[in-house]
Amino acid sequence: MSASNVQIRPSDLDDASQRELATFLEQEQAKARLQTSTHTFTEMCWDKCVTGSIGGRFSRSEESCLVNCVDRFLDTSLFIVKKLEQQRGA
Amino acid sequence: MSFLSSSSAGSLDMQAKKEAVMQQVQQELALANAQELINKMNSKCYDKCIPKPGSSLSSSEEKCLSNCMERYMEAFNIVSATYVKRVSKEREAALGATTF
């Protein structure tokens, strides 16, 4: 059976299968959100870290810049959330 | 046709349909992911390698584009691994913090 253009209605599935599908879709959506963020970070960190000419491989500093770029962005995100919570608490 | 064989044939059909839907969803998401990667790669590598567009791509521009494609995918993999590692770490830390 080809996987394209599968037509399916909820009534085609029993309750257990519907739940299984719902869980599956949730997981795939979570994965897709991670992928989208990865694309955004790659673009952002490319701009920050790959500033010189393009070679046959990354330099050690370019590689560590990419890693730091992601970690510091997430640190920033956590910092902002924490600060806002502090301000709201005060 | 016995009662048993007709009902098991029905559930086999349901199983097959369910798996087909799951496969279709994964394929569509994989395609969207690949398109996103290609579009961004196109944009970044054009910026890097073709600063002054001529009347055709020179061989040095093509060489730059080839390198750039590899570098961009490498960057994507580095970023992806770092991000996933960090998400796992934060999740573990959050779970650890909730145990008394």
Side-chain angles (χ1 to χ4, degrees):
Chain A
M1 181 185 245
S2 147
S4 59
N5 301 320
V6 173
Q7 301 283 2
I8 193 168
R9 291 176 301 279
S11 55
D12 288 343
L13 303 174
D14 62 18
D15 283 348
S17 293
Q18 284 189 38
R19 278 194 302 270
E20 189 185 335
L21 208 49
T23 304
F24 169 79
L25 288 175
E26 260 180 60
Q27 286 169 347
E28 290 302 310
Q29 281 179 327
K31 274 195 246 173
R33 282 192 296 268
L34 279 181
Q35 288 283 42
T36 301
S37 293
T38 305
H39 284 300
T40 304
F41 294 162
T42 304
E43 213 179 352
M44 170 181 75
C45 295
W46 176 275
D47 288 344
K48 274 203 188 297
C49 297
V50 188
T51 49
S53 58
I54 300 287
R57 46 186 318 174
F58 282 137
S59 67
R60 190 67 59 83
S61 70
E62 280 172 327
E63 271 191 49
S64 62
C65 177
L66 288 169
V67 171
N68 287 336
C69 174
V70 177
D71 276 326
R72 297 299 76 73
F73 183 88
L74 295 171
D75 287 342
T76 303
S77 177
L78 290 170
F79 180 89
I80 288 173
V81 167
K82 200 186 289 182
K83 257 278 180 273
L84 290 172
E85 283 176 350
Q86 283 173 4
Q87 286 172 2
R88 213 182 309 146
Chain B
M1 189 191 284
S2 77
F3 173 76
L4 272 175
S5 68
S6 67
S7 69
S8 62
S11 84
L12 258 180
D13 182 56
M14 179 180 75
Q15 179 73 7
K17 271 192 173 172
K18 188 182 62 180
E19 283 174 12
V21 168
M22 286 164 73
Q23 204 181 81
Q24 187 178 326
V25 167
Q26 282 178 327
Q27 282 174 359
E28 288 180 11
L29 287 174
L31 183 62
N33 184 43
Q35 281 179 333
E36 184 78 343
L37 182 65
I38 289 167
N39 283 339
K40 291 195 187 297
M41 179 195 284
N42 198 341
S43 182
K44 292 301 167 192
C45 292
Y46 184 76
D47 287 344
K48 267 273 182 241
C49 294
I50 323 286
K52 275 183 145 32
S55 55
S56 68
L57 290 179
S58 72
S59 59
S60 69
E61 284 172 333
E62 284 187 351
K63 182 84 185 118
C64 177
L65 287 173
S66 291
N67 281 340
C68 182
M69 285 173 67
E70 274 178 36
R71 298 286 72 68
Y72 194 84
M73 293 196 61
E74 201 182 330
F76 181 87
N77 288 332
I78 292 171
V79 166
S80 176
T82 308
Y83 184 36
V84 163
K85 195 192 272 186
R86 187 61 190 271
V87 167
S88 303
K89 200 178 100 176
E90 298 300 330
R91 192 177 297 149
E92 268 183 54
L95 288 172
T98 55
T99 58
F100 295 95

